């Protein structure tokens, strides 16, 4: 028994995995429709954007900060890129994603400047940059939605890509979105960064203790800029990917999404005090959140309950983490 | 004598700067639209709109005083007035004269219901933060979702429209030629000012925010005091909700979302230390005046609400930069 | 004769108006265990920071191998083989032992990628070199203090230092752990590495070091081979005062009832069946090694250990001290160990610091009466002779001694019956120290206050207490009138327990 407890303590991901399994099995028992490939595929597809954004938040939280500006950055990158694609008449995928990522990166660096040089609490900084960026997009760039008929064709095709498709029991075809692969790739890159590079370990070290990190010889400024810059870049990328997946570019999209994403990351075992959390945990946390919120309908619960459920998940996950960390200190 | 002069200088630097800022903004707006800005109507409308925001900013300030934050204030404000609205619809007919002319005891009961909702919601926040030791950011992100979620569940999405006339008086009425909301705000601000400056509870809050550990060793009831500060925050948020629904004759789950940033901005600009220990009600009043003058000036110049958001966000960042600069020179 | 490894000549360093170091000369030979002694606030940490390049001296020079170093930076210090183990160890609690060990050397080598096999290899080597056993995969936060210290030492040794500076390394260790640490230090020395051992504990200095430098108020007041010193000499040098010949004399007044009676106080794992009495006007010293339970005893009496077993009577009435508020209600006051983190509200004014516990008394229906509050604060500033023109200045502007007077004054405003002082003069300069001592004695004598004084500083106890208790592993092992003991006897008793 203590062996299991110790394993859970050393690998918090196991806990999240257990929660996910229990959730999936329970929902599957209540309504077997859950197990249909179309449902499973759509859940995986739905977890892509939340998951990628979760990786951005994970980076920030590992360093001991928090970020609520990323949905605004994602939308800004997406809307500006799509507008540019239409205006300048290019629709190749790579330059488009490079542009969106670059916009996100620049915005993220603005956060870094405020957090590092002006020593302001990250929550308040990112609240400010998020609002300002959204105000800029809606107030200056435009408020109109770019619909499927105007969206760059190649972008739509990219978003439509499927890895494979299967025939379901009722004869209908259903496919797994190729975007899952993009998500997996980014997750792998972030995992490699965090686990196998010195700068990645520097993020953990910074979250573990800024003064100690400085004494050991980590460059705190470089690490802070990397964290917020990369978080912004990932958000920018995810923004355009989101546009490609839903075939529209809506500058009012993703309002309030930060709460879902933070919920997913916290559920994945990351601590807001920094230094604790992993890519695997975040992926599992994101999946769990998506499975729960997207299964309300097949559980026969009205979707208006979604906010309440997400809120309860945040509260439960943070209370559990606080309880865990208190035991650790004692 | 010099001691008094020194004291004045030290205490009032921030307030003087804020007063200067207010005058500057006023002068700039008056110079930019001499025709339309200097009209009684402009200032009159500010006296109706500003109070609800001012109350939220005071609520935010109270939470920040102990080093916390309350991101659920908007959720609490909306939940309070939605519950009151549904109560009115239940006891009066949903629309028509019967509802509009609801008797004062029932309206008073509605006010009581709204206030109790705010106090209860604040108490839940306080319990999570002091008993379960969830960090205030995550606790109030979570409860904010739950409160907003309950609004959605109760209303299904659309606004609750139609409040009794008496209720509307709180948001729209005038007494002695002064806007009732302004009177409510000034009374509450004076009470909170008195509480922070002159009562044991208020000074304990500042002491706990400065050093919670030392507070425990000085025999202060830290848990209870912090708990009560969140109850107070919730109560203030519900008063803001009453003013908001009184003014607009409606209540909705996503009203006033942009107020969250604005409340944080006003609190920070007013000289509140988000890390705890310092707060100033006169600062809030001045910061509120400055920013309301700014945004109504901009609206007169046909700036969209989004642009105003951009400027608010920019202002928050600017005030952070100014505070950092001030601390460096000190 | 070869030049010493490191030498400081006439070094001075000031911060604003405060002279932290003045004309300090010090030399450390190769493979020497050198002890730097001094009370808290004597300038020890400034000296460490000058040697390790964190701060540049204003005057004097720094030589390594006889070569003058123009400007010492942290990086240059490390390159010259100077490693510092700070009191907080500077470890990452969230990372594994292996990674904590390997990170700095990997960074020094400019590696960009992490090979976990190499990390383990490096860590294994470091641990083997130290000859200790540690679980490389355990997160550092799960280790006991002694384990963390071993990790810090192992990490410092990895860069092949020539001088290892250890800042108060024994603070949180038990007697057995200190012995183990000393074995490690001697082993380090046998490899030709010099160790600068920074401490204020005489026993340890005498046991481990070969040479000793004592600083006080930023100046070197004594230096030489350890054989030239005994405990009394070190104490004299550190405190700058001869120990008062007679301690605090206290005569029980006939018919006086005990103020505090504790019977069988037990907190599992921390205190075991402790019984004691304090009479009005008594100053009772409490000594013991770290981890002896002396702070736990204070916290239990202050209501911070509500789960205790045993009986406590105050003024003859049995009470249950299960909350701080209740303890305060029974007239108990506690001046905590760490003034900065537990005692003061640094960003607040002197007045607010002073009145923190008196607010309920000064308010009517929750509203503070400003006149009474101002009068009380000003009166206490005068009574405690706190050096400030007004009470509305930030408490940060006061010196350590004056800050401590604020914390003590805060409690006096509450009119306590029993004052518990934990390290009453830690970090207080000598002049202020005797003033605080005088005040405490006066309070006990004039007001009939009972005082429990917990201290590491044996002269302080002998000088001020009429009775001294020694705790060890949660048990009360002796209770001796001050006439029947001495600083030396106490020192020997404590050393025997270690």
């Amino acid at each position: 028994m203590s062996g299991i407890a110790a394993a859970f303590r050393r690998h918090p991901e196991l806990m999240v995995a257990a929660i996910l399994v229990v959730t999936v099995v329970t929902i599957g028992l209540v309504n077997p429709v859950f197990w249909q490939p179309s449902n499973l595929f759509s859940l995986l597809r739905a977890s892509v954007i939340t998951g990628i954004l979760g990786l951005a938040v994970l980076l920030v939280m590992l360093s001991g900060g928090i970020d609520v500006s990323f949905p605004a950055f994602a939308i800004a990158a997406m809307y500006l890129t799509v507008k540019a694609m239409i205006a300048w008449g290019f629709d190749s995928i790579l330059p488009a994603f490079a542009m969106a990522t670059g916009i996100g990166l620049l915005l993220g660096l603005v956060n870094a400047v405020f957090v590092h040089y002006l020593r302001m609490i990250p929550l308040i900084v990112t609240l400010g940059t998020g609002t300002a960026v959204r105000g800029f997009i809606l107030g200056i760039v435009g408020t109109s939605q770019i619909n499927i008929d105007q969206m760059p064709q190649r972008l739509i095709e990219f978003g439509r890509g499927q890895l494979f498709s299967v025939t379901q029991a009722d004869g209908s075809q259903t496919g797994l979105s190729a975007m899952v692969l993009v998500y997996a790739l980014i997750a792998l890159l972030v995992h490699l960064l965090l686990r196998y590079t010195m700068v990645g370990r520097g993020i953990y070290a910074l979250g573990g203790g800024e003064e100690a990190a400085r004494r050991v010889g980590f460059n705190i400024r470089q690490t802070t800029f990397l964290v917020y810059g990369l978080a912004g870049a990932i958000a920018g990328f995810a923004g355009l990917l989101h546009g490609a997946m839903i075939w529209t570019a809506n500058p009012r999209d993703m309002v309030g999404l930060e709460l879902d994403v933070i919920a997913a990351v916290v559920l994945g075992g990351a601590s807001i005090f920094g230094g604790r959390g992993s890519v695997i945990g975040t992926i599992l946390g994101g999946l769990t959140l998506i499975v729960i919120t997207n299964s309300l309908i097949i559980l026969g619960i009205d979707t208006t309950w979604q906010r309440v459920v997400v809120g309860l998940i945040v509260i439960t996950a943070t209370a559990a983490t606080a309880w865990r960390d208190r035991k650790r200190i004692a | 004598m010099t001691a008094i002069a020194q004291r004045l200088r030290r205490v009032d630097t921030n307030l003087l700067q804020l007063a200067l800022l207010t005058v500057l903004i006023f002068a700039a707006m008056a110079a930019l639209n001499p025709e339309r800005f200097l009209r009684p109507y402009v200032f009159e409308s500010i006296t109706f709109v500003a109070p609800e925001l001012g109350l939220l900013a005071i609520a935010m300030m109270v939470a920040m005083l102990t080093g916390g934050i309350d991101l659920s204030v908007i959720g609490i404000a909306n939940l309070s007035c939605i519950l009151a609205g549904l109560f009115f619809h239940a006891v009066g007919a949903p629309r028509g004269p019967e509802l509009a002319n609801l008797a004062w005891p029932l309206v008073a009961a509605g006010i009581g219901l709204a206030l109790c909702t705010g106090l209860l919601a604040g108490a839940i926040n306080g319990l999570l933060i002091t008993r379960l030791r969830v960090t205030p950011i995550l606790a109030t992100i979570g409860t904010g979702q739950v409160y907003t979620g309950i609004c959605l569940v109760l209303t299904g999405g659309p606004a609750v429209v139609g409040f009794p006339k008496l209720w509307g008086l709180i948001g729209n009425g005038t007494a002695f030629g002064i806007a009732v909301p302004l009177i409510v705000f000034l009374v509450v601000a004076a009470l909170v000012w008195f509480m922070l400056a002159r009562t044991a509870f208020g000074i304990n809050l500042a002491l706990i925010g400065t050093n919670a550990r030392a507070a425990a060793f000085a025999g202060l009831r830290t848990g209870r005091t912090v708990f009560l500060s969140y109850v107070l925050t919730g109560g203030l948020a519900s008063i803001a909700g009453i003013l908001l629904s009184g003014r607009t004759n409606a209540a909705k789950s996503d009203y006033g979302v942009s107020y969250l940033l604005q409340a944080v901005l006003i609190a920070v600009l007013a000289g509140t230390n988000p890390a705890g220990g310092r707060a100033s009600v006169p600062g809030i009043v001045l910061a509120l005046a400055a920013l309301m003058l700014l945004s109504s000036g901009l609206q007169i110049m046909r700036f969209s609400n989004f642009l105003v958001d951009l400027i608010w966000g920019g202002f928050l960042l600017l005030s952070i930069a100014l505070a950092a600069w001030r601390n460096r020179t000190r | 004769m070869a030049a010493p490894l490191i030498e400081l000549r006439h070094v001075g360093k000031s911060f604003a108006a405060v002279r932290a170091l003045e004309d300090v000369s010090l030399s450390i030979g190769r493979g020497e265990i050198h002890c730097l002694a001094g009370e808290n606030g004597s300038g020890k940490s400034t000296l460490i920071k000058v040697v390790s390049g964190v701060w540049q001296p204003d005057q004097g020079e720094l030589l390594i191998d006889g070569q003058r170093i123009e400007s010492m930076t942290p990086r240059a210090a490390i390159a010259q083989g100077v490693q510092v183990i700070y009191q907080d160890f500077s470890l990452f609690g969230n990372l594994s032992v292996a990674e904590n060990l390997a990170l700095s050397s990997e960074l020094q080598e400019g590696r960009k990628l992490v090979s976990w096999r190499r990390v383990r290899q490096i860590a294994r080597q470091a641990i083997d070199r130290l000859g200790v056993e540690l679980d490389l995969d355990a997160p550092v936060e799960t280790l006991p203090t002694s384990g963390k210290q071993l990790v810090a030492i192992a990490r410092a040794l990895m860069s092949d230092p020539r001088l290892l500076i250890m800042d108060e390394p024994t603070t949180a260790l038990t007697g057995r752990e200190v012995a183990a640490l000393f074995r490690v230090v001697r082993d380090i020395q046998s490899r030709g590495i010099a160790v600068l051992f920074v401490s204020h504990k005489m026993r340890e200095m005498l046991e481990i070091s070969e040479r000793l430098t004592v600083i006080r108020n930023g100046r070197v007041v004594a230096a030489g081979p350890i054989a030239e010193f005994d405990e009394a000499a070190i104490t004299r040098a550190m405190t700058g005062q001869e120990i008062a010949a007679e301690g605090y004399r206290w005569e029980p007044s006939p018919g006086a009832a005990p103020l505090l009676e504790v019977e069988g106080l037990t907190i599992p794992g921390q205190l075991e069946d402790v019984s004691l009495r304090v009479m009005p006007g008594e100053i009772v010293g409490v000594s013991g090694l770290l981890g002896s339970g002396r702070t736990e005893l204070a916290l239990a009496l202050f209501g911070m250990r509500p789960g205790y077993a045993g009986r406590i009577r105050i003024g003859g009435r049995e009470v249950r001290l299960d909350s701080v508020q209740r303890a305060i209600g029974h007239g108990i006051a506690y001046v905590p160990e760490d003034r900065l983190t537990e005692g003061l509200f640094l960003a607040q004014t002197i007045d607010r610091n002073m009145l923190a516990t008196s607010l309920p008394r000064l308010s009517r229906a929750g509203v503070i009466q400003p006149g009474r509050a101002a009068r009380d604060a000003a009166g206490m500033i005068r009574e405690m002779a706190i050096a400030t023109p007004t009470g509305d200045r930030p408490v940060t502007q006061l010196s350590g001694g004056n800050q401590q007077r604020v914390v003590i004054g805060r409690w006096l405003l509450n009119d306590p019956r029993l004052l518990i002082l934990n390290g009453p003069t830690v970090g207080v300069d000598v002049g202020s120290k005797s003033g605080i001592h005088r005040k405490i004695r006066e309070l006990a004598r004039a007001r009939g206050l009972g005082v429990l004084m917990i201290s590491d500083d044996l002269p302080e106890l002998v000088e001020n207490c009429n009775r001294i208790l020694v705790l060890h592993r949660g048990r009360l092992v002796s209770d001796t009138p001050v006439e029947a003991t001495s600083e030396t006897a106490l020192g020997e008793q404590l050393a025997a327990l270690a």
Side-chain angles (χ1 to χ4, degrees):
Chain A
M1 197 57 211
S2 66
I4 296 171
F8 273 143
R9 206 170 311 136
R10 219 168 255 194
H11 305 282
E13 299 82 19
L14 285 178
M15 192 58 135
V16 199
I19 294 171
L20 179 59
V21 169
V22 171
T23 312
V24 164
V25 169
T26 316
I27 296 172
L29 284 176
V30 173
N31 190 344
V33 169
F34 178 81
W35 293 113
Q36 277 185 7
S38 61
N39 184 50
L40 295 180
F41 288 172
S42 96
L43 286 175
L44 283 173
R45 185 176 189 275
S47 77
V48 168
I49 297 300
T50 311
I52 296 179
L53 290 172
L55 296 171
V57 172
L58 172 70
L59 287 170
V60 176
M61 277 176 70
L62 280 178
S63 76
I66 192 158
D67 188 349
V68 292
S69 63
F70 60 88
F73 291 4
I75 287 307
M78 180 262 284
Y79 197 61
L80 287 174
T81 306
V82 172
K83 280 238 162 192
M85 289 171 87
I86 295 167
W88 300 333
F90 73 97
D91 67 351
S92 8
I93 295 302
L94 274 181
F97 276 100
M99 180 177 172
T101 310
I103 293 170
L105 173 71
L106 285 178
L107 292 172
L109 292 178
V110 174
N111 279 342
V113 167
F114 276 93
V115 171
H116 182 78
Y117 287 113
L118 304 177
R119 310 241 124 234
M120 195 57 191
I121 295 177
L123 173 71
I124 291 175
V125 170
T126 54
L127 210 52
T129 52
T131 309
V133 165
R134 201 170 287 266
F136 172 79
I137 290 297
L138 290 168
I140 292 180
V141 181
T143 51
S144 58
Q145 179 169 318
I146 298 167
N147 289 320
I148 183 162
D149 47 329
Q150 298 154 304
M151 280 291 274
Q153 213 46 49
R154 299 261 284 275
L155 205 56
I156 292 179
E157 277 163 29
F158 178 74
R160 251 185 198 153
Q162 292 193 343
L163 280 183
F164 59 85
S165 65
V166 295
T167 312
Q168 298 195 94
D170 60 2
S172 64
Q173 284 275 319
T174 181
L176 179 61
S177 169
M179 301 306 108
V180 173
L181 195 65
V182 177
Y183 174 25
L185 196 67
I186 295 177
L188 182 67
L189 287 176
V190 174
H191 176 74
L192 292 177
L193 170 86
L194 286 176
R195 184 101 183 114
Y196 294 102
T197 70
M198 284 311 279
V199 284
R201 300 318 288 171
I203 298 173
Y204 278 91
L206 177 60
E210 183 173 335
E211 190 53 40
R214 191 172 286 130
R215 280 184 190 155
V216 170
F218 281 113
N219 185 336
I220 303 300
R221 186 182 56 193
Q222 182 195 312
T223 311
T224 308
F225 275 79
L226 175 89
V227 162
Y228 286 94
L230 195 54
I234 293 174
F237 181 92
L240 188 60
L241 194 68
H242 174 68
M245 286 171 78
I246 62 169
W247 312 333
T248 45
N250 178 3
R252 296 168 202 252
D253 208 350
M254 286 194 176
V255 173
L257 186 71
E258 62 272 19
L259 302 168
D260 288 30
V261 175
I262 290 171
V265 177
V266 171
L267 189 61
S271 159
I272 195 172
F273 301 111
R276 272 173 253 280
S278 68
V279 168
I280 297 165
T282 302
I283 293 174
L284 292 172
L287 269 177
T288 312
L289 186 86
I290 292 291
V291 165
I292 295 174
T293 52
N294 289 28
S295 298
L296 292 179
I297 297 175
I298 63 171
L299 287 175
I301 299 169
D302 197 280
T303 46
T304 50
W305 283 93
Q306 186 165 327
R307 295 283 97 200
V308 180
V309 170
V310 173
L312 290 176
I313 289 176
V314 175
I315 295 170
T316 321
T318 47
T321 323
W323 182 73
R324 173 192 82 187
D325 291 350
R326 179 167 46 170
K327 287 200 93 178
R328 182 174 282 150
I329 291 158
Chain B
M1 213 46 219
T2 50
I4 295 170
Q6 268 177 356
R7 186 177 170 178
L8 272 178
R9 227 183 354 256
R10 195 168 59 238
V11 169
D12 284 343
T13 329
N14 192 38
L15 286 185
L16 283 177
Q17 284 177 356
L18 273 174
L20 192 67
L21 179 74
T22 316
V23 172
L24 278 178
I25 289 176
F26 179 79
M29 289 305 146
L32 285 172
N33 350 254
E35 308 278 283
R36 282 168 298 167
F37 187 70
L38 293 172
R39 282 185 187 170
Y41 167 77
V42 172
F43 303 101
E44 209 184 301
S45 75
I46 288 180
T47 60
F48 284 97
V49 179
E52 57 210 39
L53 178 56
L55 287 173
L56 290 173
I58 291 179
M60 195 61 77
M61 178 193 76
V62 170
M64 283 182 174
L65 183 54
T66 57
I69 195 162
D70 192 339
L71 300 175
S72 69
V73 283
I74 307 295
I76 295 177
N78 287 330
L79 181 60
S80 307
C81 53
I82 283 177
L83 280 175
L86 293 176
F87 167 75
F88 293 139
H89 288 201
V91 294
R95 252 167 250 278
E98 202 180 325
L99 174 69
N101 296 323
L102 210 60
W104 72 266
L106 284 172
V107 175
I111 293 174
L113 176 67
L115 283 177
C116 287
T117 308
L119 296 175
L120 183 68
I124 293 172
N125 287 340
L127 281 179
L128 284 171
I129 290 161
T130 58
R131 287 278 150 177
L132 296 180
R133 306 194 181 231
V134 179
T135 155
I137 295 181
L138 293 178
T140 55
I141 279 184
T143 55
Q145 291 279 75
V146 172
Y147 302 149
T148 308
I150 296 174
C151 294
L152 269 173
V153 171
L154 289 174
T155 62
V160 176
V161 183
F163 278 84
K165 271 187 194 155
L166 281 171
W167 179 276
L169 271 182
I170 306 173
N172 283 324
T174 52
F176 321 110
I178 303 170
V180 174
L182 185 67
I183 297 173
V184 172
F185 170 70
L186 290 177
V187 167
V188 171
L191 287 175
V192 174
W193 172 82
F194 183 80
M195 181 199 84
L196 293 182
R198 287 292 174 78
T199 68
F201 174 71
I203 290 175
N204 284 348
L205 283 180
L207 292 176
I208 292 166
T210 307
N211 185 346
R213 206 170 147 72
F217 273 103
L220 307 188
R221 299 173 192 270
T222 51
R224 201 178 73 168
T225 310
V226 172
F227 169 78
L228 286 176
S229 81
Y230 281 94
V231 174
L232 175 64
T233 301
L236 291 170
S238 68
I239 301 178
I242 295 174
L243 296 190
L244 175 65
S245 60
R247 185 170 61 84
T248 58
N249 194 32
K252 191 162 181 270
S253 59
D254 61 354
Y255 270 176
V257 175
S258 61
Y259 275 169
L260 181 62
L261 171 101
Q262 299 175 5
V264 171
L265 166 59
I266 291 170
V268 172
L269 194 63
T272 314
N273 180 358
R278 196 154 42 98
S280 158
V281 175
I284 295 274
V285 176
L286 281 175
L288 177 69
L291 291 169
M292 288 314 294
L293 288 172
L294 179 70
S295 63
S296 44
L298 293 174
Q299 268 154 2
I300 288 172
M301 286 151 76
R302 301 256 158 73
F303 276 47
S304 69
N305 280 335
F306 305 121
L307 271 181
V308 175
D309 270 1
L310 167 63
I311 288 163
W312 285 90
F315 232 93
L316 175 57
L317 297 174
L318 194 71
S319 70
I320 293 169
L322 275 176
W325 177 76
R326 214 161 42 212
N327 285 337
R328 194 171 316 165
T329 52
R330 191 173 282 163
Chain C
M1 198 186 122
L5 172 62
I6 194 162
E7 193 178 354
L8 273 70
R9 286 185 188 161
H10 313 294
V11 164
K13 175 79 191 166
S14 300
F15 297 100
V18 183
R19 293 199 66 81
L21 291 177
E22 201 170 348
D23 192 25
V24 170
S25 296
L26 166 80
S27 79
I28 303 169
R30 291 188 174 73
E32 174 180 288
I33 300 183
H34 194 114
C35 198
L36 177 64
E39 306 210 291
N40 290 310
S42 59
K44 284 178 304 182
S45 26
T46 312
L47 189 57
I48 299 175
K49 288 186 171 154
V50 167
V51 174
S52 60
V54 176
W55 285 329
Q56 308 290 318
D58 305 331
Q59 286 117 36
E61 49 190 16
L62 178 65
L63 293 88
I64 292 183
D65 299 323
Q67 301 285 312
R68 191 166 169 217
I69 305 287
E70 286 304 329
S71 108
M72 189 72 142
T73 61
R75 200 172 277 271
I78 291 168
Q80 292 281 358
V82 177
Q83 281 282 338
V84 187
I85 298 175
Y86 289 98
Q87 233 173 319
D88 63 3
F89 307 139
S90 294
L91 297 173
F92 302 102
N94 56 330
L95 303 181
S96 70
V97 169
E99 205 176 351
N100 267 283
L101 287 170
L103 269 182
S104 59
S105 72
E106 295 282 275
L107 274 172
Q108 301 289 306
E109 287 175 27
R111 293 213 190 266
K112 300 277 179 251
L113 299 178
V114 181
S115 148
W116 288 93
R117 207 171 42 172
R118 198 173 58 233
V119 164
R120 286 189 66 90
Q121 246 167 28
I122 294 170
R124 172 57 54 202
Q125 274 172 10
I127 293 291
D128 287 348
R129 204 192 290 192
L130 202 58
V132 292
E133 228 6 87
L134 282 170
D135 176 2
L136 290 181
D137 295 323
V140 160
E141 65 201 352
T142 61
L143 301 180
T145 311
S146 56
K148 290 181 185 141
Q149 187 171 49
L150 287 176
V151 176
I153 295 175
R155 183 173 73 179
L157 288 183
M158 287 172 60
S159 57
D160 288 320
R162 299 194 295 158
L163 172 65
L164 189 61
I165 302 176
M166 301 177 82
D167 188 7
E168 302 279 358
T170 57
T171 306
L173 299 188
T174 65
R176 199 174 310 161
E177 287 167 341
V178 170
L181 172 69
F182 283 2
R183 276 198 300 280
V184 171
V185 170
R186 290 207 184 85
D187 176 56
I188 292 170
Q189 179 194 24
S190 70
R191 298 178 215 169
I193 301 169
V195 178
L196 180 63
F197 201 88
V198 183
S199 178
H200 66 276
K201 296 185 187 169
M202 281 159 288
R203 283 272 133 199
E204 293 171 357
M205 298 176 216
L206 288 170
E207 188 183 340
I208 191 84
S209 56
E210 297 164 312
R211 284 211 299 150
L212 177 70
T213 300
V214 183
I215 62 173
R216 188 177 75 226
N217 294 342
R219 288 170 164 277
V220 173
V221 289
I226 197 77
E228 293 175 4
F229 291 90
D230 60 15
E231 286 188 25
I234 300 176
T235 309
R236 260 199 310 280
M238 273 168 53
T239 58
Q241 51 194 196
E242 294 290 332
I243 294 149
E246 88 264 44
Y248 171 71
R249 295 281 165 200
W250 171 82
E251 294 296 329
S253 39
L259 185 65
L260 169 77
E261 292 165 279
V262 175
E263 269 173 42
L265 182 64
T266 300
I267 302 169
Q270 294 173 326
L271 285 177
E272 192 61 46
D273 194 22
V274 172
S275 300
L276 59 95
R277 291 168 80 164
V278 178
M279 302 291 285
E282 263 201 309
I283 304 180
V284 177
V286 179
S287 187
L289 305 164
L290 228 110
S292 60
R294 46 183 213 186
T295 296
E296 293 302 322
L297 171 65
L299 294 182
L301 291 175
F302 193 52
M304 283 187 152
R305 293 290 179 270
Y308 70 86
R311 297 152 66 103
I312 297 175
R313 277 192 296 275
I314 290 175
R317 263 191 32 231
E318 179 150 354
V319 294
R320 185 81 209 158
L321 301 174
D322 50 10
S323 74
V324 174
Q325 288 74 30
R326 191 154 298 172
I328 292 174
H330 289 297
I332 296 176
Y334 177 57
V335 175
E337 219 170 348
D338 185 339
R339 189 168 52 241
L340 294 185
T341 65
E342 297 171 343
L344 292 171
F345 304 97
L346 280 177
Q348 301 283 347
T349 60
I350 297 169
D351 281 349
R352 280 200 172 180
N353 270 280
M354 190 74 100
L355 298 174
T357 56
S358 310
L359 296 177
R361 184 173 53 80
L362 293 171
S363 0
R364 193 168 292 159
V367 178
I368 293 164
Q369 299 173 286
R372 276 178 66 199
R375 231 178 3 257
D376 272 20
M380 194 46 75
I381 288 175
R382 225 173 308 119
E383 184 178 345
M384 291 304 291
I386 292 162
T388 179
T390 59
D392 61 6
R393 302 247 166 135
V395 77
T396 38
Q397 288 184 359
L398 298 178
S399 69
N402 279 309
Q403 289 180 343
Q404 188 72 330
R405 287 162 192 260
V406 171
V407 181
I408 296 174
R410 174 195 297 167
W411 286 114
L412 294 184
L413 280 173
N414 254 33
D415 214 1
R417 306 165 77 181
L418 176 72
L419 178 62
I420 307 171
L421 300 154
N422 199 347
T425 56
V426 169
V428 169
D429 59 279
V430 181
S432 203
K433 192 166 170 175
S434 55
I436 291 176
H437 287 160
R438 216 175 307 124
K439 186 76 206 175
I440 294 168
R441 292 196 299 252
E442 180 198 313
L443 286 168
R445 196 167 285 140
R447 290 205 196 181
L449 200 66
V451 179
L452 264 184
M453 185 188 285
I454 302 170
S455 181
D456 264 337
D457 184 347
L458 301 183
E460 174 168 68
L461 293 180
V462 173
E463 199 180 330
N464 294 294
C465 304
N466 60 301
R467 197 147 58 84
I468 296 173
L469 316 176
V470 175
L471 285 174
H472 184 58
R473 295 202 183 147
R475 285 179 182 276
L476 187 64
V477 291
S478 71
D479 179 348
T480 329
V482 76
E483 303 85 33
T485 186
S486 69
E487 189 204 326
T488 326
L490 263 177
E492 276 164 12
Q493 186 189 0
L494 287 175
L497 293 172

